[in-house]
Amino acid sequence: MSDEELIISLNGPVYPLLVKPSAGGGGKGMRVVGSPEELPAALAAARREARAAFGDDTLLIERYITRPRHIEIQVLADTHGTVTHLGERECSLQRRHQKIIEEAPSPLLDEERREAMGGAAVEAARSVGYTGAGTVEFIVPGDSPAEFYFMEMNTRLQVEHPVTELVYGLDLVEWQLRVAAGERLTVTRPAQPAGHAVEARVYAEDPARGFLPTGGTVLALREPASEGVRVDSGLAEGMTVTSAYDPMLAKVAAWGPDRATALRRLDAALADTAVLGVTTNVAFLRTLLADPDVQAGRLDTTLAERVADRLTPPATGASSASPASTTRAADAQLDEVLAAAALARLLAREPAAGVVDPWDIPDGWRVGGQAWTKFRFAAGPGAGGSGTVAEVRVRGLASAGAEVAVGGHDPVAARAEFVAAAPSGGLTAAGPGLPGAARPGSRPGGADLLVTYGGRVLRFAFATDGATIWLGRGGHAWALTEEEAAPVRGGRAAGGDGIVRSPMPGTVLAVQVAPGDTVSAGQAVAVVEAMKMEHTVTAPVAGTVAEVAARAGQQVAMDARLAVIEPKINDDGSVGTP
């Protein structure tokens, strides 16, 4: 059906509604439409994304249920007429209609509801003669859990199948192969699942930028290996993550005898995860797991995005503290990270062998007393916000003991050393001392950075990429780029300079302005696509288009310049529309 035919076919007060491709999932091409005026543009955008992602722009329109829960049933069917189900998975924690945390069993369902949904899933599979492993997905209204609506069937194993394997003790891949070989199903589902399992998806994306895709080279990698934890990963140090594929990098799943234990083990596993060189969602996953609604099992498909909306970039990995305490904790954490980066820079300058010339020792020694060594770091995503620049001063020898002053704060006693990469659990440890031999001044190479700062001992995963230092700890990752000192210049504040930048690496699909055009703040300038998802880039200020640097079909990097707008200067000297 054409767009016009779809619009005409709608009868009655059907809004809000959901537009989605018929040929695929993963949230690609899905649009929530709140009014008739929004529908034509939503259909056009959904068709473009569906065609790019699946080669088929056929669309479906269905009722949109506010704050629904997404619950799916795992089915297995053989070629001899046997069809069974292996319980449910709760998949309500999503962003952009794509799952990020899944669990089994659902905290919502009792045995009666489980059997009702399971029975419906079995009948759906039997009615089409389905064989193999598959998933029947349902939407459950949060305010009426006794009701459930068929959404779709995925005729394959799902990303989240490990949580079913963990609670039922089965290998679904094995059974899929055995069914394909013609064997009969001998699977008997236990009356109750054994314990609880929760899985988190590690994505190459930036929650602080609306979950836009990221990319880069994996400089250092730490993955957990602790009790009850399973990691399915496609990562390796040195590999390049591009926007040509889905952003999922790994899956971290945890089992426990109860839900609370599984959640706690998953949080600890994510704290032991570090992917340096690529911005990921790991810190956000920890924040989401700590949310009171998640802990209580009060889930819906918009909860994750509501949690993300409450966060500011410095607090992306913080727990559910009050705003004031969260800000203080984030500031203290950032001070520690900046101090660590400065100490690492000095530590790398220390001679590796015996010292011949005392002037080779970078301790700031002078006849009149030790001098301060100054560093300026621009903090990348997750470290105070892109573009934030902080000055750090160090006095003394990093490996033997120094003073570090971050910004305008008082000096703090500190020291640092490179040590062998931490085993599981090492990146969360902090206290008065840590075990393990260290060689002061040793060069990093698959190493961690051990920092003593203000009486605390902190261990960071460590990597460098030119002028940029990457540090990882507790699920966070910080990119700090050393900048040369520059004079302070007057002028417009950041965000008012009129430069339109790409918010993610990708392909320019369309450029919607030309040099000389007059634009308003928020007007569409270009459309950039990454991983089959479109993002409209808008003008940061009102003014006149002075330059268009991008063209349709061009590959662009994150923060690449797309256009330049000469801002409109008002009579009072302010920028843009008054």
Side-chain angles (χ1 to χ4, degrees):
M1 298 176 71
S2 66
D3 291 356
E4 293 76 14
E5 290 170 331
L6 281 172
I7 294 172
I8 293 172
S9 69
L10 298 177
N11 296 312
V14 295
Y15 296 89
L17 54 79
L18 184 68
V19 177
K20 67 180 187 180
S22 69
K28 296 179 175 65
M30 293 179 69
R31 295 289 190 279
V32 177
V33 181
S35 67
E37 293 74 23
E38 301 172 18
L39 186 55
L43 290 171
R47 284 197 193 277
R48 283 198 306 272
E49 288 190 25
R51 192 180 305 115
F54 312 116
D56 183 347
D57 64 2
T58 304
L59 300 177
L60 301 174
I61 295 181
E62 61 187 40
R63 174 190 172 192
Y64 181 74
I65 298 173
T66 305
R67 292 197 177 182
R69 297 180 75 130
H70 183 152
I71 299 176
E72 62 189 29
I73 303 293
Q74 176 70 57
V75 297
L76 271 176
D78 64 20
T79 56
H80 304 280
T82 302
V83 185
T84 189
H85 77 87
L86 296 171
E88 80 282 359
R89 295 186 287 259
E90 172 99 38
C91 307
S92 298
L93 294 176
Q94 308 177 4
R95 92 287 180 259
R96 295 200 311 264
H97 308 293
Q98 189 171 32
K99 307 161 191 172
I100 50 177
I101 293 178
E102 308 95 352
E103 61 182 297
S106 166
L108 178 69
L109 300 188
D110 55 23
E111 188 58 29
E112 180 180 356
R113 291 173 181 161
R114 179 174 296 115
E115 284 307 311
M117 294 182 70
V122 166
E123 288 307 309
R126 181 178 284 118
S127 69
V128 295
Y130 185 73
T131 59
T135 306
V136 182
E137 306 197 17
F138 297 96
I139 287 292
V140 180
D143 56 355
S144 183
E147 301 177 20
F148 56 91
Y149 299 91
F150 173 79
M151 183 169 59
E152 63 186 12
M153 181 175 183
N154 278 290
T155 54
R156 55 178 170 79
L157 276 181
Q158 295 283 82
V159 168
E160 60 273 15
H161 76 271
V163 295
T164 298
E165 294 182 331
L166 289 171
V167 297
Y168 285 111
L170 297 170
D171 186 332
L172 292 175
V173 175
E174 175 189 352
W175 273 107
Q176 184 164 270
L177 293 173
R178 292 173 69 174
V179 166
E183 292 189 26
R184 290 181 179 272
L185 278 176
T186 57
V187 173
T188 301
R189 182 174 60 88
Q192 294 290 336
H196 204 95
V198 190
E199 175 187 279
R201 304 186 186 191
V202 177
Y203 282 114
E205 65 185 16
D206 188 353
R209 291 189 175 196
F211 301 99
L212 291 179
T214 61
T217 299
V218 179
L219 305 173
L221 177 65
R222 307 286 186 272
E223 294 181 321
S226 51
E227 181 183 3
V229 173
R230 166 177 168 173
V231 179
D232 294 0
S233 173
L235 287 170
E237 290 186 0
M239 70 176 288
T240 300
V241 177
T242 76
S243 61
Y245 304 99
D246 186 273
M248 188 170 64
L249 305 175
K251 304 181 293 184
V252 181
W255 177 91
D258 51 55
R259 186 172 186 266
T261 302
L263 289 172
R264 186 170 61 252
R265 286 178 173 175
L266 179 57
D267 178 66
L270 292 170
D272 288 343
T273 301
V275 184
L276 304 187
V278 180
T279 298
T280 72
N281 66 335
V282 173
F284 173 73
L285 291 171
R286 294 196 66 201
T287 299
L288 186 56
L289 288 173
D291 184 81
D293 285 332
V294 173
Q295 290 287 316
R298 297 186 296 265
L299 312 178
D300 65 73
T301 58
T302 64
L303 176 57
E305 291 175 340
R306 296 200 305 275
V307 170
D309 289 342
R310 295 198 297 264
L311 300 177
T312 55
T316 300
S319 62
S320 53
S322 66
S325 63
T326 296
T327 300
R328 286 194 297 270
D331 289 344
Q333 183 181 56
L334 183 55
D335 282 358
E336 293 172 343
V337 171
L338 289 165
L343 290 166
R345 277 289 190 242
L346 275 184
L347 193 61
R349 297 177 185 176
E350 294 187 16
V355 178
V356 176
D357 188 340
W359 295 106
D360 289 339
I361 303 174
D363 60 356
W365 184 86
R366 298 292 186 272
V367 172
Q370 286 182 317
W372 291 97
T373 301
K374 297 180 181 180
F375 298 91
R376 298 176 76 252
F377 291 107
S386 180
T388 299
V389 178
E391 182 179 87
V392 185
R393 295 174 295 137
V394 183
R395 183 167 60 187
L397 195 62
S399 63
E403 293 179 288
V404 181
V406 179
H409 297 171
D410 293 336
V412 175
R415 66 187 298 270
E417 49 199 356
F418 292 116
V419 297
S424 176
L427 296 182
T428 57
L434 290 171
R439 296 182 294 112
S442 62
R443 292 294 187 265
D448 290 348
L449 179 68
L450 193 65
V451 175
T452 302
Y453 181 81
R456 281 163 49 87
V457 180
L458 309 166
R459 189 165 197 153
F460 296 89
F462 175 85
T464 59
D465 183 16
T468 300
I469 290 176
W470 282 82
L471 296 169
R473 180 176 179 273
H476 295 262
W478 297 269
L480 301 138
T481 301
E482 186 177 353
E483 294 194 344
E484 297 294 331
V488 177
R489 295 177 295 177
R492 306 180 190 96
D497 59 3
I499 298 177
V500 182
R501 300 185 183 277
S502 177
M504 58 187 180
T507 303
V508 178
L509 293 185
V511 177
Q512 297 169 316
V513 297
D517 288 355
T518 299
V519 296
S520 57
Q523 180 176 330
V525 172
V527 178
V528 178
E529 179 220 43
M531 301 178 187
K532 308 303 182 184
M533 301 293 290
E534 293 183 11
H535 184 81
T536 299
V537 186
T538 60
V541 294
T544 303
V545 178
E547 176 189 346
V548 175
R551 66 182 187 281
Q554 179 181 350
Q555 296 287 321
V556 293
M558 181 183 294
D559 291 325
R561 187 171 66 175
L562 304 179
V564 178
I565 297 170
E566 184 65 33
K568 175 184 177 181
I569 307 300
N570 302 310
D571 293 339
D572 61 0
S574 62
V575 176
T577 304

